[in-house]
Amino acid sequence: MIKRIYTYIFVGVAASMLLLSCGKKKSKDGRTDTYSSGSVSFVADESFSPIIEEERDVFEATYPKAKVTPIYSNEVDGMNMLLRGETHLLIAARDFTEKEKQNLKERNFAPKSMPIAYDGLALIVNKANQDTCISIRDVKRILIGSAKKWSDIYPSSTRGNITLVFDNNKSSSVRFVEDSLLNGKPITAAAVSAVKKTAEVVDFVEKNPGAIGIIGSNWLNDRRDSTNLTFNKNIRVMSVSKLDNATPENSWKPFQYYLYNGNYPLVRTIYALINDPINGLPWGFAQFIASPKGQLIILKSGLLPVQGNITIRNVNVSN
C-alpha cells in the first residue's frame, strides 16, 4: 500500500539551478545545455510515451530555449545507454541497482534517481470477453503455463487458449511480472507474444478474443474524460484481486484511487534516473516532472503523482 503524504514540496531547486547555469562554459564533452536551455535527447521506456509527450510539451512551452527529444526504447537498452554515457536521463519503471550505482560512482559519476509517478500495470482483454475478474494467483498460473485455456480459470468458458501479449521482450512489464509475481523466475508459458510497441498490444487484443495484453495504465484513459474514469472502449480492462477467488466485490481496476489506497495489486513506481555531470537540461527536465506543475500533469493523465494535492470525490460509474 502506498503510504505517502501528498503535499507539494518546493525547495527553490529551479531557481538555484538557473543561477548556477548562468554563464556556464562548454563542458569537456562539448555540451552547452543548461538547466533551462539548449537541446538534448533522453531515453524513456516506450510504455510511458503518452505522459512523456505531455510533460515535454509543457516544459518546452515554459522554457522556449529548451528542446528535449525522447528516444523511446525498452528498459534494458535504455539502462545500457545511460551506463555507457549515451544519454544522461532515463525514464523507467525501476531504480538503479546497487551494482549500477557502484559502476557509475567508480567512474566518478554521481547518479541520482527520483520517483515521479505510480502506474498500474493493466491486464486488457477483447471487448467480447465477459470474463474480466482475475486473481493474482491465476495471473501467476497463466505466466508459468499451468493455466493454458480460459476454461482453466473460468470453467464454463469456451474461448479456447489464452495468449499473453507484452509490448517488448525487454520491457518493464516483463521484468515487473517476473520480479514481483514470479520471484525473479522467467515467464514459462508457451503462448506468449512480444510485439514492438504498446499500441500493437492494444491492436492485438482488439483482434484476438483469447488474448490478454499487459500494458501500462497510462495508455488506457480516454483523454476527453477529465475524471480519468473512462477507459479505451475498444477493449476491456480486467479487475484484479489479491484474493484467490476473484469476484466483482474484491477485484479492482487500475483507477487512480485504487492505486492510491492499495486496492489494485499491480502498482509500479516510475523513476527519472539521472547521470548528468553538468546538471544541465536532463536534470532540469527531470526536476520539472517532479515539480508541482509536472506532478499536476501526471495527475490529470490518470497516473498517480508521487507528490501533489489529491482530492477524493464520490463519482457514480456506469458500465
Side-chain angles (χ1 to χ4, degrees), residues 13-28:
V13 175
S16 62
M17 292 306 300
L18 283 169
L19 290 173
L20 288 172
S21 67
C22 293
K24 182 179 286 187
K25 297 179 180 179
K26 183 183 291 188
S27 65
K28 292 181 180 180

Side-chain angles (χ1 to χ4, degrees), residues 281-293:
L281 195 52
W283 176 252
F285 183 53
Q287 285 284 358
F288 173 82
I289 299 174
S291 74
K293 183 180 287 188

Side-chain angles (χ1 to χ4, degrees), residues 187-251:
I187 298 166
T188 54
V192 178
S193 296
V195 289
K196 294 181 179 180
K197 297 180 179 180
T198 305
E200 294 176 11
V201 177
V202 178
D203 184 64
F204 188 97
V205 170
E206 287 180 11
K207 297 175 180 176
N208 292 273
I212 297 179
I214 302 182
I215 64 174
S217 62
N218 69 127
W219 277 85
L220 297 176
N221 293 355
D222 185 337
R223 303 302 180 193
R224 296 167 296 180
D225 179 9
S226 61
T227 67
N228 293 316
L229 295 175
T230 303
F231 289 144
N232 184 333
K233 295 183 183 301
N234 296 322
I235 48 91
R236 291 184 186 272
V237 180
M238 301 192 84
S239 299
V240 185
S241 176
K242 298 176 184 178
L243 302 182
D244 289 347
N245 182 28
T247 68
E249 291 74 29
N250 65 27
S251 305

